[in-house]
Amino acid sequence: GAQFGNVTYVEISPTIGYLVRNDWLVGIGGRYSYFEQEFLNFTYSTNVYGGSVFTQYYLFENFIAHLEYEVLNMGDFPDSDSRINVGSLFVGGGYRSMINDVSFVSILLLYNLNEDINTPYSNPLLRVGFGFGL
């Protein structure tokens, strides 16, 4: 993902999953992003990195129940020189549509149950993804 302007945001967040059964997926993900925002009298910037573990259960083949725990390390606002860890627990669901036998697109609506002042997310979180099987 990317955004440029008054707010600069660049993100890469690959995930990999293993299909335990035809209806159950477990996986891990990594995340790196750069964030910069200009305020009236200063500019705040930080590098954010972290990872997550997740599980998905497929209901009726195309509907997804999703549970994920993520930990991110980022600059503490407004002092980006000191760093903090922020944990997020996401719960939600969505829809998965197969493109062909091994590729799909998914749309998830997630809620962060650990929302606090330092979280980079606002509820609800809409996540769109594309995947392919090996």
Side-chain angles (χ1 to χ4, degrees):
Q3 174 183 342
F4 301 99
N6 186 40
V7 173
T8 300
Y9 181 79
V10 179
E11 177 183 334
I12 184 167
S13 54
T15 61
I16 187 166
Y18 177 73
L19 199 57
V20 177
R21 297 188 326 222
N22 284 341
D23 58 355
W24 183 30
L25 178 80
V26 296
I28 59 172
R31 178 170 173 200
Y32 169 78
S33 59
Y34 173 78
F35 176 84
E36 180 179 283
Q37 184 170 1
E38 296 177 15
F39 295 93
L40 292 176
N41 56 353
F42 76 101
T43 299
Y44 171 76
S45 66
T46 186
N47 291 289
V48 179
Y49 50 88
S52 65
V53 294
F54 68 91
T55 186
Q56 291 182 341
Y57 184 77
Y58 301 117
L59 308 163
F60 310 112
E61 193 171 317
N62 289 5
F63 292 96
I64 303 168
H66 183 94
L67 180 66
E68 178 177 354
Y69 184 71
E70 175 186 70
V71 176
L72 298 177
N73 183 276
M74 65 184 69
D76 192 7
F77 183 80
D79 178 20
S80 60
D81 291 333
S82 64
R83 301 198 56 89
I84 58 170
N85 289 323
V86 178
S88 297
L89 179 62
F90 299 106
V91 63
Y95 184 79
R96 172 184 73 159
S97 179
M98 298 303 292
I99 298 170
N100 56 37
D101 288 343
V102 295
S103 302
F104 64 89
V105 60
S106 64
I107 299 172
L108 297 172
L109 185 63
L110 305 174
Y111 290 88
N112 181 5
L113 300 180
N114 288 346
E115 187 175 29
D116 69 16
I117 191 78
N118 294 308
T119 187
Y121 306 107
S122 59
N123 279 324
L125 176 67
L126 181 65
R127 187 182 292 173
V128 178
F130 300 93
F132 61 92
L134 299 176

